Amino acid sequence: LEENGPTTPALLEHLRTEGASYDLVLFWSYRYYPSFFGLPIVRDRAVLVPTAEEDPTVWLDVLGDFFTLPAGYLFLTEEERHLVASRANGPLPPSCVIGSGLAPADLPHPERRGELVDMGVTFPYALYLGRVERNKGCDTLFRHYLQYVARGRPTLPLVLAGPEFMEVPSHPQIRPLGFVPEHLRETLLGSARTLIMPSPYESLSLVLLEAWNHGVPALVNGGCKVLKGQALRANGGLYYHHANEFVEGLTLLATDEALALRLGAQGRTHVEAWYRWPRVMATLEPFLRQVAGA
């Protein structure tokens, strides 16, 4: 945890000398130096947003006691709350699940779709949005997608948008765009037939919520409890556990446009109900007042 950084000894000293002057001190991401070493100093007024995932770090023995220290928790999903509770050496302090707030999405601009065409994007397409790396499940995504193509399923190009940290297979149906500006990112999301989320580690998939915000369905890694839980609660997509399920799920979304539209609409309804800022703040602010009062 020290090596993970960022090392901030002056912040720790500030918490020792001035921490009691704050009503609350909020810490983001348990795995970083400021949270792990700073939270114990002000534990009586510390609120932790752990962003915990089922990756190897969460199983470190040293975290068992640490997870019992905060005065309160803000979780992003129920699955994250269950994970942290299973790792704590005792009952969790008060907590609430807040997710994340989203503003309503704008409709895609036709001229921006033209920009995508100029970049080699053909419609319809499946979209992966995020860092292209093994920790995000992209190696498995490529293997599964190449099986989809090899089995002669309907043409649905795979468009990748995000920085690349691994080799992308050279294939005419795979179109890596690299990092794209914000306006094209939104256009890619709003114009996709489906979003694919292969990540094995998530505490909340914001890009999944963003796709639903645009009414776009998703195909997600069912081995990730958070992604599967999000998909089931929203009824906004399909999940897979192995290559055959991936191929059949993508085939269904590629061929049944009415189903894809219905799943995307259900995802948008879910976002409207749970992830607009007024709803998030109506949960967050009373909880923070409760913890500060205690």
Side-chain angles (χ1 to χ4, degrees):
L1 288 160
E2 285 183 336
E3 291 174 353
N4 204 29
T7 305
T8 54
L11 174 61
L12 301 190
E13 183 58 30
H14 178 75
L15 292 176
R16 291 187 190 99
T17 59
E18 304 294 336
S21 66
Y22 296 98
D23 295 322
L24 294 172
V25 184
L26 274 67
F27 294 86
W28 259 257
S29 294
Y30 77 88
R31 69 185 67 234
Y32 296 113
Y33 178 104
S35 293
F36 185 78
F37 294 101
L39 187 150
I41 300 171
V42 288
R43 56 176 295 184
D44 64 326
R45 63 200 65 224
V47 176
L48 178 61
V49 187
T51 66
E53 308 167 348
E54 283 195 282
D55 64 356
T57 307
V58 80
W59 304 106
L60 292 173
D61 290 343
V62 72
L63 293 172
D65 290 334
F66 174 80
F67 281 144
T68 66
L69 297 180
Y73 270 103
L74 298 176
F75 291 110
L76 303 181
T77 56
E78 286 290 349
E79 290 81 10
E80 184 195 15
R81 175 153 59 184
H82 293 155
L83 173 62
V84 172
S86 73
R87 291 294 301 116
N89 292 339
L92 286 186
S95 66
C96 70
V97 177
I98 59 167
S100 180
L102 286 176
D106 295 327
L107 293 175
H109 294 282
E111 65 273 15
R112 291 178 180 171
R113 290 178 63 125
E115 287 187 62
L116 296 182
V117 172
D118 292 340
M119 298 171 71
V121 174
T122 57
F123 298 83
Y125 59 87
L127 175 66
Y128 171 81
L129 182 60
R131 298 191 307 274
V132 180
E133 61 179 35
R134 287 177 175 81
N135 279 348
K136 289 295 184 180
C138 291
D139 52 342
T140 305
L141 167 62
F142 295 145
R143 288 198 302 270
H144 290 356
Y145 181 76
L146 290 174
Q147 285 203 37
Y148 174 88
V149 174
R151 295 183 192 184
R153 298 306 172 96
T155 300
L156 190 68
L158 174 61
V159 175
L160 313 170
E164 297 167 19
F165 298 96
M166 62 176 291
E167 184 177 355
V168 176
S170 178
H171 191 280
Q173 293 299 315
I174 299 177
R175 182 72 181 96
L177 302 179
F179 181 83
V180 297
E182 183 66 21
H183 74 282
L184 283 183
R185 181 183 186 277
E186 291 299 301
T187 305
L188 279 167
L189 272 170
S191 304
R193 171 60 63 88
T194 182
L195 176 80
I196 302 180
M197 272 298 295
S199 175
Y201 309 128
E202 295 290 333
S203 55
L204 169 77
S205 175
L206 187 57
V207 71
L208 184 52
L209 298 181
E210 290 173 324
W212 288 333
N213 201 25
H214 284 277
V216 172
L219 181 63
V220 307
N221 179 3
C224 175
K225 294 177 183 176
V226 167
L227 291 178
K228 183 177 179 180
Q230 284 188 251
L232 289 173
R233 284 189 291 274
N235 200 12
L238 309 174
Y239 61 85
Y240 63 90
H241 291 97
H242 48 70
N244 286 340
E245 290 183 349
F246 177 94
V247 170
E248 297 305 327
L250 191 57
T251 299
L252 191 58
L253 292 170
T255 56
D256 193 336
E257 185 175 5
L259 173 66
L261 289 172
R262 186 164 69 250
L263 291 172
Q266 289 165 178
R268 183 191 285 122
T269 298
H270 180 69
V271 170
E272 287 281 354
W274 294 98
Y275 294 99
R276 295 296 179 225
W277 278 111
R279 168 80 188 216
V280 171
M281 298 309 293
T283 302
L284 173 62
E285 290 181 333
F287 177 76
L288 293 180
R289 285 195 292 266
Q290 171 194 335
V291 176

